[in-house]
Amino acid sequence: MAKMEVKTSLLDNMIGVGDMVLLEPLNEETFINNLKKRFDHNEIYTYIGSVVISVNPYRSLPIYSPEKVEDYRNRNFYELSPHIFALSDEAYRSLRDQDKDQCILITGESGAGKTEASKLVMSYVAAVCGKGAEVNQVKEQLLQSNPVLEAFGNAKTVRNDNSSRFGKYMDIEFDFKGDPLGGVISNYLLEKSRVVKQPRGERNFHVFYQLLSGASEELLHKLKLERDFSRYNYLSLDSAKVNGVDDAANFRTVRNAMQIVGFMDHEAESVLGVVAAVLKLGNIEFKPESRVNGLDESKIKDKNELKEICELTGIDQSVLERAFSFRTVEAKQEKVSTTLNVAQAYYARDALAKNLYSRLFSWLVNRINESIKAQTKVRKKVMGVLDIYGFEIFEDNSFEQFIINYCNEKLQQIFIELTLKEEQEEYIREDIEWTHIDYFNNAIICDLIENNTNGILAMLDEECLRPGTVTDETFLEKLNQVCATHQHFESRMSKCSRFLNDTSLPHSCFRIQHYAGKVLYQVEGFVDKNNDLLYRDLSQAMWKAGHALIKSLFPEGNPAKINLKRPPTAGSQFKASVATLMKNLQTKNPNYIRCIKPNDKKAAHIFNENLVCHQIRYLGLLENVRVRRAGYAFRQAYEPCLERYKMLCKQTWPHWKGPARSGVEVLFNELEIPVEEYSFGRSKIFIRNPRTLFKLEDLRKQRLEDLATLIQKIYRGWKCRTHFLLMKKSQIVIAAWYRRYAQQKRYQQIKSSALVIQSYIRGWKARKILRELKHQKRCKEAATTIAAYWHGTQVRREYRKFFRANAGKKIYEFTLQRIVQKYFLEMKTKMPSLSPIDKNWPSRPYLFLDSTHKELKRIFHLWRCKKYRDQFTDQQKLIYEEKLEASELFKDKKALYPSSVGQPFQGAYLEINKNPKYKKLKDSIEEKIIIAEVVNKINRANGKSTSRIFLLTNNNLLLADQKSGQIKSEVPLVDVTKVSMSSQNDGFFAVHLKEGSEAASKGDFLFSSDHLIEMATKLYRTTLSQTKQKLNIEISDEFLVQFRQDKVCVKFIQGSQKNGSVPTCKRKNNRLLEVAVP
């Protein structure tokens, strides 16, 4: 949206009429049309003299920026277009410069924008007052008190999503420089009935929803709450969520605001604990029970809720349960305890919830006052801001609307009185004759309500205190008796016969003719709401709470301070508060903001004329205009008046050298304005009729047009002369520069032309020389070529006979060369894979290439084998060498060999280095261990086997006990002569020792092992490495072994075994050892 234009005067570029005092003609229709016209052009503010009318736009407008604040700062009230900042600045400057205490009264119905207007006033004052750390802290605390009070005192209604359900009056205190020192907040009539019941489409107070939406899971668990709104009877579900409102974010804002205002963490938690207790009170339900004596009593259905409430508040469960079931009445040292039926129990529960929340709200206000109050005791200047409910006329009007409208009657009364007083003081100050102004004085209506003897509130209190049966009907009967003759009181049951047949007036209602119109009140609930009774048992139970805050809220529950005197009624309390407020307002200079709601849909750009008309009537705006216009409609200081209209007189235009008042007198005499239409004050000119002002404005507008034409004519002449002289001067300069440029360009053209001609001549000479040189070169080359051809012809004639004789051989060699070349190129694309086991090879294309083809195949295979071997590490090469050695020794000789091919040779199967069991054995061997394996040593005597550790090192073969690790035998490899084994699938092998050696004293060794192939291979390779002689490997199914002095034949036979697939060994006789292999 484009930035709105800043006007230099109220009357400049005026949309409609900026000040309703100037409206002509003045009636309800023109008043509404003027408001609508300005509203349609985003002009939401209009004046009635010094009163500001504010129409809620229901959208954001760019008229509250810091630039706007500066525009209205230290400016005259009528100097710029109507704005709430103008009134705020006027009030602040009067307070700062003239030492006058101020009050700003903001009224209007719910949804009209009163709360926002109060925020704007406070934000403007905060922006224009002094700066500094302490001042900024005070301003921040004053501003942050709003979110806290809105959370606990505002609610969503059908008319407003953020409706204030209490009246607020804040006194902001300033020092002599105009810097804020602190403030004091007063609250009026919190709508506590909303805690227990809300009309359809409305919500409870914001704080309940903010707590459930924004609190952490830990805090909710601590407060024994759940996030689901439907769990709580006191929360309406049809409007629990409000479009555009983030309750969770608002909860964080409220917690932050409480911290800024000065709440300690434990205080904030205590407040939230009370809110949780109020929520859970609504979940307590009762059931009826009959006693022996026939009386009805009530019992709590589910005591879990009661238990959690008692845990939250620190109250003994039995005490609170009894307080909900019994009522104790004390009178003259006597106590009478009566049971409560279900209806009375529910009443007690709701009364406790309402009182608990209401007292918490009052405590909050007092706690905020402690934080924001001025710390110094110097004399202070005060600006009060009153944000209070406007006049209310609903379909069903009850006690709340009655006292709200009573408050508005008092405000209207003081408004008229102060407005007339202000007018009269200004007339006296300006030495203008004061004329009496007739207006409606609503003091008679105020007296009807507040008279201490026959007033409605007095009779309501009298009825509440009267012994016997007291009902709303008896109260209405009393009103009919006492107020029947009052001209502003109407009741169908009164003695006045003119209302007996009035069908618009029900029997259970009465009607009061307020200043804003007639309001019909339902008498139902007046007595109960005025009593606002909380049973003494509940007060005492609350005083016994372990929760410090709750205990402090109910001081009357202290048994040591029992007061049998009945507490004051709600009506009398409110009446006293209003009286105090009126007394406070009368000591200050008043400033008024009248807020109007343009529609009930809370939508932008909609102006409902009927709704606006209704508000204009009950706000008494037309009455206000008439009071302002009863004397002089317009007044203005002489200096700005002369400055604005001096062009209408030749004597004052363009400059007046005398006093401003003399200039205005000359001006008005020149214009022949009737003397009865204006009066001269000490510092201002007073104009009686708006038509006179509009005539002046029309004359000024016409004169401005004439002056504009004259100015335009003079300006155009000056502009044309200036332009001509500039063009003449420019023409001379341009001509001089052009002549210079033209000569420079002509010189450059001549110079470039000479260079071109020179280049052409040089080129022609160069080309001529080139042609001559080329001709000479061609002649020389032609002679050489002819000579070469001639010599070639001679040579070909000479050797032609030799060429024909050798042509066949050359063709054969060429063809053969091409075939071989093609063969190699094709082989390049047909080469097999690099795998050594791939036996594919391209077919031979020509027979004569057979030997070459085979040789290429052999060379390729050797090459790829080398490539394959080059990929191996040293360890892998060693493994493959052992495998290759095993293949040469045992392939196609030993049946056990194929099964060993896939098994890697590990050697150290026992892991002696890692096993602590063999540490002693490891320490006794200094050489590298090649094989460490458990084998079965065959006993030479009976053929039975014994487990031994078989160790092979670089120089020795050792046998050790498996259990103890002790070395039993040690055989040097030089003493090993042969290894014998069968050709079958068994693991038996014999190690033959050199005859006569020390190790051969007991004879050869016969072993059985699962790794025969590996052990034989490694023994073979190690012996070859150490002795440089090949170890004899004998593979036969019969072989001889030396056992001590005897030679025994070891014979391998086939047969079924008792042990399944395990071979067995048996000594047949002294010369035969038989091994059965499956």
Side-chain angles (χ1 to χ4, degrees):
M1 186 181 291
K3 186 177 179 180
M4 303 184 73
E5 180 185 0
V6 177
K7 300 176 177 61
T8 59
S9 172
L10 175 68
L11 300 172
D12 283 338
N13 304 320
M14 191 164 53
I15 298 170
V17 178
D19 190 343
M20 289 294 188
V21 175
L22 305 178
L23 186 63
E24 190 68 28
L26 176 63
N27 53 54
E28 201 170 73
E29 181 180 358
T30 57
F31 195 100
I32 295 173
N33 288 338
N34 188 56
L35 283 180
K36 184 176 186 304
K37 183 176 181 180
R38 293 179 61 78
F39 177 80
D40 292 339
H41 289 80
N42 297 328
E43 294 285 348
I44 63 171
Y45 296 112
T46 309
Y47 291 154
I48 301 178
S50 60
V51 178
V52 176
I53 303 174
S54 172
V55 184
N56 193 344
Y58 287 117
R59 61 193 177 102
S60 297
L61 294 177
I63 59 175
Y64 307 110
S65 62
E67 292 77 14
K68 274 287 182 181
V69 172
E70 291 301 318
D71 288 341
Y72 282 88
R73 186 172 186 173
N74 295 327
R75 302 292 285 269
N76 185 274
F77 186 76
Y78 295 102
E79 192 171 345
L80 299 177
S81 59
H83 201 290
I84 195 171
F85 286 171
L87 181 137
S88 305
D89 186 74
E90 183 76 12
Y92 177 71
R93 285 192 294 112
S94 297
L95 175 137
R96 183 192 63 191
D97 301 337
Q98 302 177 20
D99 204 19
K100 293 182 179 179
D101 287 349
Q102 304 289 316
C103 65
I104 299 177
L105 281 67
I106 307 172
T107 57
E109 71 173 46
S110 179
K114 300 187 300 298
T115 301
E116 288 302 315
S118 66
K119 291 179 183 178
L120 290 170
V121 170
M122 293 178 65
S123 63
Y124 179 86
V125 173
V128 299
C129 64
K131 302 293 187 291
E134 294 184 4
V135 173
N136 289 337
Q137 182 182 0
V138 172
K139 291 192 290 186
E140 188 67 15
Q141 286 185 335
L142 291 173
L143 293 175
Q144 290 300 325
S145 65
N146 280 324
V148 179
L149 294 179
E150 285 183 14
F152 287 86
N154 289 23
K156 189 261 182 193
T157 66
V158 293
R159 297 186 176 187
N160 185 4
D161 290 344
N162 187 32
S163 176
S164 297
R165 307 316 299 161
F166 70 104
K168 181 178 75 172
Y169 178 75
M170 173 183 280
D171 269 335
I172 308 173
E173 299 172 335
F174 298 84
D175 62 10
F176 70 95
K177 301 189 301 294
D179 294 339
L181 297 172
V184 179
I185 299 174
S186 302
N187 64 298
Y188 301 95
L189 191 66
L190 176 72
E191 187 188 11
K192 57 185 177 183
S193 61
R194 181 172 292 272
V195 174
V196 299
K197 184 179 180 182
Q198 306 90 42
R200 181 175 297 276
E202 298 190 3
R203 295 205 313 176
N204 210 321
F205 292 102
H206 293 328
V207 69
F208 295 112
Y209 304 92
Q210 292 173 359
L211 174 61
L212 296 181
S213 299
S216 63
E217 295 294 339
E218 180 184 359
L219 180 58
L220 288 179
H221 179 73
K222 184 177 180 181
L223 298 178
K224 305 185 184 304
L225 297 176
E226 298 179 20
R227 212 173 285 282
D228 184 9
F229 295 158
S230 62
R231 289 276 294 109
Y232 304 101
N233 297 332
Y234 279 165
L235 301 183
S236 60
L237 299 180
D238 55 341
S239 300
K241 295 291 185 182
V242 181
N243 293 332
V245 175
D246 187 348
D247 288 317
N250 290 341
F251 179 75
R252 293 189 291 272
T253 302
V254 171
R255 288 299 299 267
N256 183 57
M258 292 177 77
Q259 187 176 8
I260 292 173
V261 170
F263 282 81
M264 300 297 179
D265 290 341
H266 71 274
E267 290 179 322
E269 291 180 3
S270 297
V271 170
L272 296 179
V274 177
V275 173
V278 172
L279 263 182
K280 298 188 75 64
L281 273 174
N283 292 348
I284 294 180
E285 297 182 347
F286 303 93
K287 60 182 179 181
E289 281 193 6
S290 297
R291 302 182 71 181
V292 179
N293 57 8
L295 296 176
D296 290 336
E297 66 177 9
S298 62
K299 292 291 183 183
I300 297 175
K301 288 183 180 180
D302 184 4
K303 295 186 179 181
N304 287 331
E305 293 287 351
L306 181 66
K307 179 182 177 182
E308 291 184 352
I309 292 173
C310 292
E311 290 174 356
L312 269 176
T313 58
I315 302 174
D316 185 78
Q317 184 173 342
S318 60
V319 172
L320 188 58
E321 184 177 2
R322 175 176 176 78
F324 280 131
S325 303
F326 294 88
R327 179 187 179 188
T328 302
V329 180
E330 298 183 21
K332 296 182 180 179
Q333 307 301 325
E334 294 184 5
K335 291 185 179 180
V336 179
S337 181
T338 60
T339 60
L340 300 179
N341 57 32
V342 172
Q344 291 171 332
Y346 276 116
Y347 173 84
R349 179 200 70 178
D350 292 344
L352 176 60
K354 289 187 291 184
N355 272 273
L356 190 57
Y357 191 83
S358 175
R359 297 183 188 204
L360 172 66
F361 187 78
S362 298
W363 181 88
L364 275 173
V365 173
N366 293 332
R367 178 64 183 81
I368 292 173
N369 285 338
E370 289 179 11
S371 296
I372 66 175
K373 67 181 179 181
Q375 301 300 320
T376 60
K377 296 183 179 181
V378 298
R379 183 180 178 278
K380 310 174 189 71
K381 305 175 183 180
V382 178
M383 177 185 289
V385 180
L386 177 65
D387 173 9
I388 202 163
Y389 8 68
F391 200 87
E392 292 188 352
I393 305 176
F394 299 147
E395 291 184 6
D396 295 325
N397 302 289
S398 186
F399 179 73
E400 290 85 1
Q401 283 69 45
F402 174 74
I403 56 178
I404 285 172
N405 293 344
Y406 160 61
C407 178
N408 277 272
E409 285 285 358
K410 296 294 290 183
L411 288 174
Q412 176 69 9
Q413 183 182 22
I414 195 173
F415 169 69
I416 296 296
E417 289 177 359
L418 292 177
T419 301
L420 290 176
K421 180 181 178 183
E422 183 182 0
E423 284 282 299
Q424 185 174 4
E425 286 178 351
E426 184 171 21
Y427 284 8
I428 295 172
R429 187 169 57 250
E430 293 293 328
D431 199 17
I432 301 294
E433 183 179 353
W434 168 257
T435 56
H436 178 71
I437 299 175
D438 292 327
Y439 67 95
F440 170 69
N441 189 343
N442 66 339
I444 187 173
I445 303 175
C446 297
D447 185 69
L448 170 65
I449 298 172
E450 67 182 4
N451 187 281
N452 292 330
T453 304
N454 298 324
I456 294 176
L457 286 176
M459 286 185 283
L460 180 59
D461 287 348
E462 184 180 335
E463 192 67 15
C464 290
L465 298 174
R466 180 175 62 83
T469 303
V470 177
T471 63
D472 296 319
E473 288 73 18
T474 59
F475 166 62
L476 182 60
E477 289 177 5
K478 191 162 191 174
L479 287 182
N480 292 333
Q481 293 175 2
V482 177
C483 304
T485 58
H486 199 287
Q487 57 182 339
H488 292 276
F489 178 85
E490 300 175 5
S491 174
R492 199 166 181 179
M493 304 300 293
S494 66
K495 299 177 182 178
C496 187
S497 60
R498 72 177 187 276
F499 302 119
L500 293 177
N501 298 322
D502 189 352
T503 56
S504 65
L505 187 58
H507 289 85
S508 61
C509 301
F510 65 91
R511 189 160 55 202
I512 294 179
Q513 186 173 347
H514 290 280
Y515 78 91
K518 295 183 178 181
V519 182
L520 183 69
Y521 295 104
Q522 300 275 354
V523 76
E524 181 182 356
F526 262 64
V527 173
D528 284 342
K529 292 176 181 178
N530 188 51
N531 268 326
D532 193 21
L533 186 61
L534 178 66
Y535 297 150
R536 193 185 308 276
D537 302 75
L538 288 172
S539 298
Q540 293 175 350
M542 291 297 105
W543 188 83
K544 294 176 182 178
H547 194 287
L549 177 57
I550 293 179
K551 183 172 184 176
S552 67
L553 296 179
F554 293 87
E556 74 276 11
N558 187 350
K561 299 180 180 180
I562 292 179
N563 185 4
L564 298 180
K565 185 179 179 181
R566 190 181 183 94
T569 61
S572 60
Q573 291 181 51
F574 188 74
K575 177 182 173 182
S577 299
V578 170
T580 304
L581 176 64
M582 296 303 119
K583 184 178 180 181
N584 192 356
L585 295 180
Q586 285 178 339
T587 62
K588 296 178 174 62
N589 186 50
N591 303 271
Y592 299 93
I593 301 173
R594 304 296 204 186
C595 298
I596 291 179
K597 180 168 66 174
N599 60 78
D600 278 327
K601 299 178 180 179
K602 295 178 276 191
H605 307 293
I606 298 177
F607 192 91
N608 187 326
E609 296 186 8
N610 292 330
L611 179 64
V612 173
C613 177
H614 169 71
Q615 295 172 81
I616 289 172
R617 289 175 181 173
Y618 77 66
L619 286 173
L621 298 184
L622 280 175
E623 183 77 11
N624 188 0
V625 177
R626 291 190 181 100
V627 169
R628 291 286 300 190
R629 290 179 55 164
Y632 293 90
F634 182 78
R635 70 284 318 267
Q636 191 175 27
Y638 290 122
E639 289 80 4
C641 179
L642 181 61
E643 186 66 26
R644 185 169 185 82
Y645 301 111
K646 64 182 179 179
M647 72 286 297
L648 300 181
C649 176
K650 293 181 179 180
Q651 300 179 47
T652 57
W653 178 257
H655 300 292
W656 173 257
K657 296 182 179 180
R661 172 170 178 166
S662 302
V664 174
E665 291 176 355
V666 170
L667 175 65
F668 276 51
N669 291 332
E670 179 73 18
L671 295 176
E672 297 181 352
I673 297 175
V675 292
E676 63 271 10
E677 287 296 320
Y678 62 89
S679 292
F680 293 104
R682 295 180 184 274
S683 62
K684 296 180 181 179
I685 176 73
F686 288 76
I687 299 176
R688 187 178 299 279
N689 199 307
R691 285 192 297 270
T692 304
L693 180 64
F694 293 145
K695 178 183 177 182
L696 288 172
E697 284 296 312
D698 291 340
L699 292 172
R700 179 178 181 272
K701 183 178 179 180
Q702 182 61 44
R703 181 58 177 160
L704 286 177
E705 291 177 358
D706 296 341
L707 291 174
T709 303
L710 178 62
I711 293 170
Q712 287 175 354
K713 180 182 72 172
I714 296 172
Y715 172 73
R716 286 173 183 151
W718 169 83
K719 186 176 180 181
C720 288
R721 284 192 300 274
T722 304
H723 184 62
F724 168 74
L725 294 174
L726 181 61
M727 288 182 65
K728 182 178 179 181
K729 181 179 179 181
S730 301
Q731 186 271 335
I732 296 171
V733 174
I734 291 171
W737 278 91
Y738 176 75
R739 285 193 294 270
R740 175 187 175 187
Y741 165 76
Q743 292 301 321
Q744 287 177 342
K745 187 174 182 182
R746 186 165 177 270
Y747 167 74
Q748 293 293 339
Q749 288 177 347
I750 295 172
K751 182 178 179 180
S752 60
S753 300
L755 293 174
V756 169
I757 293 171
Q758 288 176 357
S759 64
Y760 271 100
I761 292 174
R762 294 191 185 101
W764 171 76
K765 287 183 177 181
R767 286 191 293 273
K768 183 179 178 182
I769 296 172
L770 181 62
R771 282 195 298 270
E772 292 176 353
L773 293 174
K774 284 183 177 180
H775 179 69
Q776 293 174 5
K777 184 179 179 181
R778 282 197 295 270
C779 290
K780 187 176 179 180
E781 289 175 349
T784 304
T785 302
I786 293 170
Y789 271 95
W790 170 250
H791 291 304
T793 303
Q794 294 299 320
V795 172
R796 282 192 292 277
R797 282 179 186 173
E798 185 70 24
Y799 289 95
R800 185 172 293 163
K801 52 186 179 181
F802 301 105
F803 175 74
R804 288 176 179 172
N806 298 322
K809 182 180 179 181
K810 290 187 177 292
I811 292 172
Y812 170 75
E813 291 176 353
F814 177 77
T815 303
L816 188 64
Q817 182 182 2
R818 293 299 298 162
I819 289 173
V820 172
Q821 184 181 10
K822 181 180 179 183
Y823 165 72
F824 281 114
L825 290 175
E826 289 179 350
M827 284 295 291
K828 179 181 178 181
T829 60
K830 296 180 180 179
M831 296 299 284
S833 67
L834 295 179
S835 174
I837 61 173
D838 186 2
K839 296 184 179 181
N840 294 324
W841 187 250
S843 60
R844 179 193 61 202
Y846 302 101
L847 183 61
F848 74 92
L849 292 174
D850 184 57
S851 60
T852 303
H853 196 66
K854 290 179 180 178
E855 183 64 19
L856 279 176
K857 179 179 180 182
R858 186 185 68 81
I859 294 171
F860 178 75
H861 182 67
L862 292 175
W863 173 78
R864 69 182 175 181
C865 287
K866 181 179 182 303
K867 294 285 288 184
Y868 184 75
R869 289 196 303 273
D870 291 343
Q871 298 175 1
F872 297 155
T873 62
D874 293 341
Q875 186 178 0
Q876 288 176 323
K877 287 180 180 180
L878 179 61
I879 292 173
Y880 281 110
E881 286 175 1
E882 290 178 345
K883 286 287 184 180
L884 185 59
E885 194 80 54
S887 176
E888 293 174 355
L889 293 172
F890 303 108
K891 187 177 181 181
D892 298 331
K893 299 176 184 178
K894 177 69 174 172
L896 187 64
Y897 171 73
S899 62
S900 70
V901 174
Q903 298 176 358
F905 291 171
Q906 298 182 9
Y909 289 96
L910 291 184
E911 297 183 346
I912 290 178
N913 294 331
K914 298 181 180 179
N915 195 334
K917 179 180 177 182
Y918 303 115
K919 184 176 186 302
K920 183 178 179 181
L921 177 60
K922 173 181 175 296
D923 294 340
S924 63
I925 301 172
E926 297 179 355
E927 298 178 279
K928 177 183 178 182
I929 298 175
I930 299 173
I931 292 179
E933 165 68 329
V934 176
V935 299
N936 292 322
K937 177 179 175 293
I938 307 301
N939 192 292
R940 298 177 179 92
N942 54 20
K944 295 183 178 181
S945 61
T946 305
S947 296
R948 288 286 185 268
I949 297 175
F950 183 94
L951 299 172
L952 175 63
T953 65
N954 291 331
N955 297 308
N956 297 292
L957 187 153
L958 299 95
L959 294 176
D961 185 80
Q962 184 182 7
K963 295 182 179 179
S964 64
Q966 183 180 359
I967 297 175
K968 295 291 187 180
S969 301
E970 183 174 355
V971 181
L973 291 182
V974 295
D975 294 342
V976 178
T977 59
K978 184 173 67 172
V979 175
S980 299
M981 65 188 71
S982 72
S983 63
Q984 299 184 39
N985 191 19
D986 63 277
F988 283 87
F989 68 97
V991 178
H992 301 274
L993 305 178
K994 184 188 296 184
E995 292 183 8
S997 63
E998 183 182 352
S1001 61
K1002 292 183 180 181
D1004 299 335
F1005 292 104
L1006 183 61
F1007 300 111
S1008 174
S1009 174
D1010 294 335
H1011 302 93
L1012 169 61
I1013 302 298
E1014 180 182 356
M1015 295 176 71
T1017 302
K1018 288 184 180 291
L1019 183 58
Y1020 176 84
R1021 287 176 59 83
T1022 307
T1023 304
L1024 178 61
S1025 173
Q1026 296 299 320
T1027 64
K1028 308 301 180 183
Q1029 294 179 358
K1030 292 184 178 180
L1031 181 66
N1032 185 16
I1033 303 294
E1034 180 185 359
I1035 300 176
S1036 174
D1037 289 342
E1038 288 187 17
F1039 53 83
L1040 295 174
V1041 293
Q1042 183 76 33
F1043 285 173
R1044 294 185 184 275
Q1045 303 301 324
D1046 301 327
K1047 287 188 181 292
V1048 178
C1049 177
V1050 180
K1051 185 178 181 179
F1052 294 84
I1053 63 173
Q1054 296 284 338
S1056 60
Q1057 303 298 320
K1058 296 179 181 180
N1059 294 334
S1061 60
V1062 180
T1064 60
C1065 180
K1066 187 174 183 182
R1067 185 76 178 263
K1068 290 293 185 180
N1069 51 50
N1070 292 338
R1071 298 294 179 179
L1072 178 64
L1073 187 65
E1074 194 175 79
V1075 179
V1077 181

